[in-house]
Amino acid sequence: MVDVQHWLVALPPGVVYLIVAGVIGVESMGVPLPGEIVLVSSALLAATGVVEPHWVATAAAFGAIVGDSVGYAVGRRGGRPLLARLGRRFPKHLGPAQIARAEQSFARHGVWAVFFGRFVALLRILAGPLAGALHVPYRRFLVANAAGGLVWAFGTTYLLYTLGRAAEHWLKDISWAGLVLAVLGGVASTWWLRRRARRLESTTTTDEAEPVAAGTDR
């Protein structure tokens, strides 16, 4: 991430915003790219004044929403054969086991998997194509996709921006209270979102194991 940040700092702000939107957009279409690393690095740059946080967040949200929508269209057109091709092309990230786990979460939780999936690397990549392949109604998908993209993009950007600015003030001996409040608020919100996302995944894993247990009892 440090290398990415050093690379971004040498670019004009407008180019940084385009890179944020582009990388996150392509990742959301179903191609494994370091979208979250680019967003985190850009948000930390915003804390130093190199770029503007609202433009970083806007670019990230735009890339997430548009990328997921394109992924949805591609998944709806390509169906399961597309998911199989993605698995062969990216076996480490999108192999049969990963796709099966994501599909189980999606089948059980529906559009909530789209919303909370934005905070989980696997579902962040697969949400669009998988929703299209499963023929989830686009309007429901778009609402969850837009909500998750906005919360993820603006929440991540302003969380890191606030922490960076608070740390800078702390280093100048201005305020311990601001730093503590910013850290506690950021950690609490991030913990809750990731805990909710992991609960979706763990519930799915439990459901997969139950038929096996039933068969054993027989």
Side-chain angles (χ1 to χ4, degrees):
M1 188 176 69
V2 175
D3 292 338
V4 173
Q5 190 172 351
H6 287 169
W7 177 63
L8 291 174
V9 76
L11 300 173
V15 176
V16 174
Y17 306 141
L18 289 175
I19 290 174
V20 170
V23 171
I24 292 174
V26 174
E27 179 191 46
S28 300
M29 294 177 194
V31 180
L33 288 180
E36 191 168 47
I37 292 177
V38 170
L39 176 58
V40 169
S41 299
S42 300
L44 293 175
L45 285 182
T48 66
V50 175
V51 292
E52 295 295 331
H54 62 277
W55 283 117
V56 171
T58 300
F62 177 82
I65 295 170
V66 173
D68 269 341
S69 294
V70 173
Y72 175 94
V74 172
R76 191 174 183 88
R77 184 178 181 84
R80 293 182 182 275
L82 171 66
L83 298 179
R85 288 197 298 272
L86 288 173
R88 289 193 296 269
R89 189 175 183 84
F90 306 105
K92 181 178 179 181
H93 299 89
L94 306 177
Q98 290 86 347
I99 290 180
R101 188 165 66 250
E103 186 175 1
Q104 287 288 336
S105 296
F106 215 99
R108 178 174 178 82
H109 303 290
V111 293
W112 284 109
V114 177
F115 180 87
F116 287 105
R118 179 50 57 180
F119 301 88
V120 179
L122 175 62
L123 288 179
R124 184 164 59 246
I125 297 171
L126 284 177
L130 196 57
L134 295 176
H135 291 259
V136 174
Y138 180 68
R139 288 185 179 179
R140 295 178 60 199
F141 168 79
L142 181 60
V143 170
N145 170 38
L150 288 169
V151 172
W152 175 73
F154 279 85
T156 301
T157 299
Y158 278 96
L159 166 63
L160 293 170
Y161 174 77
T162 301
L163 289 174
R165 298 296 291 175
E168 182 179 351
H169 287 307
W170 170 68
L171 292 174
K172 293 180 180 178
D173 294 327
I174 290 181
S175 173
W176 268 93
L179 177 63
V180 171
L181 289 176
V183 170
L184 290 178
V187 169
S189 60
T190 302
W191 173 82
W192 184 85
L193 287 168
R194 292 192 181 276
R195 181 172 179 267
R196 184 72 178 91
R198 286 169 182 163
R199 184 178 296 174
L200 293 178
E201 184 175 356
S202 64
T203 302
T204 300
T205 303
T206 301
D207 291 342
E208 291 175 352
E210 284 178 356
V212 177
T216 303
D217 290 340
R218 292 193 191 99

